[in-house]
Amino acid sequence: EAGVAQSPRYKIIEKRQSVAFWCNPISGHATLYWYQQILGQGPKLLIQFQNNGVVDDSQLPKDRFSAERLKGVDSTLKIQPAKLEDSAVYLCASSRGQGQYNEQFFGPGTRLTVL
Amino acid sequence: AQTVTQSQPEMSVQEAETVTLSCTYDTSESDYYLFWYKQPPSRQMILVIRQEAYKQQNATENRFSVNFQKAAKSFSLKISDSQLGDAAMYFCAYRAFFTGANSKLTFGKGITLSVRP
């Protein structure tokens, strides 16, 4: 079974530029999560999707971050414009569902550096 | 809101020895899940072990075991017979049991474990 795929693996941009990350979850997984992991901290949930609907985006800075999951499969996370404090690893995870316990499987992450 | 605290930023262990990683958490819920995740350098995070709060028995997975103290809100990970491949960052995480729609994980800051040959 293929794991969670993410691209690109690394991205370096100047502040105020825009950037997009892509995630392909494990086949059949209805729930998709985007976490932000700042250096020295644990991952923090940005947004959770159930199929193509948003379950929780309370921690997403909506003035600059946006995410979508069209057709309930792949997802993209966009930052526009980027700030220095957005430098972090962006992790995508997926699970079969959101109800009773379903393990979350993580992708390798995208490391973003904002200069 | 739930919080997870890992107060030790780094630990080191000799190969083949045993090491214990500490974690405390705070919640007002009576049922929940606790996890330890391993994140090797430049590699993806994987689940090491899971504990359901309603279970009194401590979870065990091969060389990994936990000491779950519900009243003290403590959840430590013991790694026996440490191997070089155990070197990684370890995160303690919490998830509510009855989540409704939201099943997010709340993570601690992590601890970097190094293994000396």
Side-chain angles (χ1 to χ4, degrees):
Chain A
E1 174 176 76
V4 177
Q6 290 188 248
S7 68
R9 292 293 312 276
Y10 304 92
K11 190 74 176 179
I12 301 174
I13 61 172
E14 302 272 336
K15 61 182 179 183
R16 291 188 289 273
Q17 286 187 322
S18 61
V19 65
F21 312 129
W22 173 82
C23 173
N24 181 233
I26 292 172
S27 178
H29 280 195
T31 310
L32 186 146
Y33 313 79
W34 283 102
Y35 290 87
Q36 180 192 56
Q37 185 179 7
I38 294 173
L39 185 65
Q41 299 181 22
K44 179 187 77 173
L45 181 75
L46 291 176
I47 188 167
Q48 176 186 337
F49 291 95
Q50 176 68 13
N51 296 309
N52 59 352
V54 175
V55 172
D56 181 359
D57 63 356
S58 58
Q59 300 273 53
L60 187 73
K62 298 180 185 65
D63 58 333
R64 299 183 299 105
F65 286 65
S66 64
E68 60 182 10
R69 191 184 183 197
L70 299 176
K71 301 181 180 179
V73 182
D74 293 7
S75 176
T76 55
L77 176 69
K78 297 179 182 178
I79 308 175
Q80 182 179 14
K83 292 185 175 181
L84 296 177
E85 59 260 36
D86 298 332
S87 294
V89 176
Y90 291 84
L91 299 171
C92 180
S94 71
S95 66
R96 287 193 180 278
Q98 63 190 17
Q100 202 62 3
Y101 177 73
N102 287 288
E103 182 177 345
Q104 291 186 29
F105 294 86
F106 285 82
T110 296
R111 183 178 296 276
L112 173 67
T113 301
V114 182
L115 303 176
Chain B
Q2 293 78 22
T3 58
V4 177
T5 302
Q6 294 178 255
S7 55
Q8 307 157 302
E10 299 178 353
M11 287 197 75
S12 180
V13 64
Q14 191 76 34
E15 194 176 5
E17 296 294 308
T18 296
V19 65
T20 299
L21 311 182
S22 301
C23 172
T24 59
Y25 60 94
D26 189 28
T27 182
S28 58
E29 303 295 324
S30 58
D31 288 318
Y32 45 87
Y33 298 101
L34 294 167
F35 309 88
W36 280 97
Y37 278 87
K38 173 184 178 182
Q39 189 177 41
S42 301
R43 294 181 63 187
Q44 59 210 79
M45 195 172 313
I46 58 172
L47 179 65
V48 174
I49 199 164
R50 178 181 90 242
Q51 175 77 45
E52 291 87 344
Y54 62 85
K55 291 185 177 179
Q56 293 188 347
Q57 187 172 7
N58 289 324
T60 299
E61 289 285 345
N62 300 313
R63 298 182 296 107
F64 299 88
S65 61
V66 300
N67 183 4
F68 173 50
Q69 301 289 327
K70 191 173 184 179
K73 295 182 180 174
S74 170
F75 182 61
S76 60
L77 175 70
K78 186 172 81 171
I79 306 175
S80 303
D81 185 26
S82 296
Q83 301 175 0
L84 295 178
D86 294 333
M89 193 137 190
Y90 287 82
F91 291 96
C92 179
Y94 168 100
R95 203 206 90 165
F97 189 81
F98 296 108
T99 62
N102 194 324
S103 52
K104 71 176 183 182
L105 294 169
T106 300
F107 288 89
K109 288 189 174 182
I111 178 170
T112 301
L113 177 67
S114 59
V115 181
R116 304 185 302 274

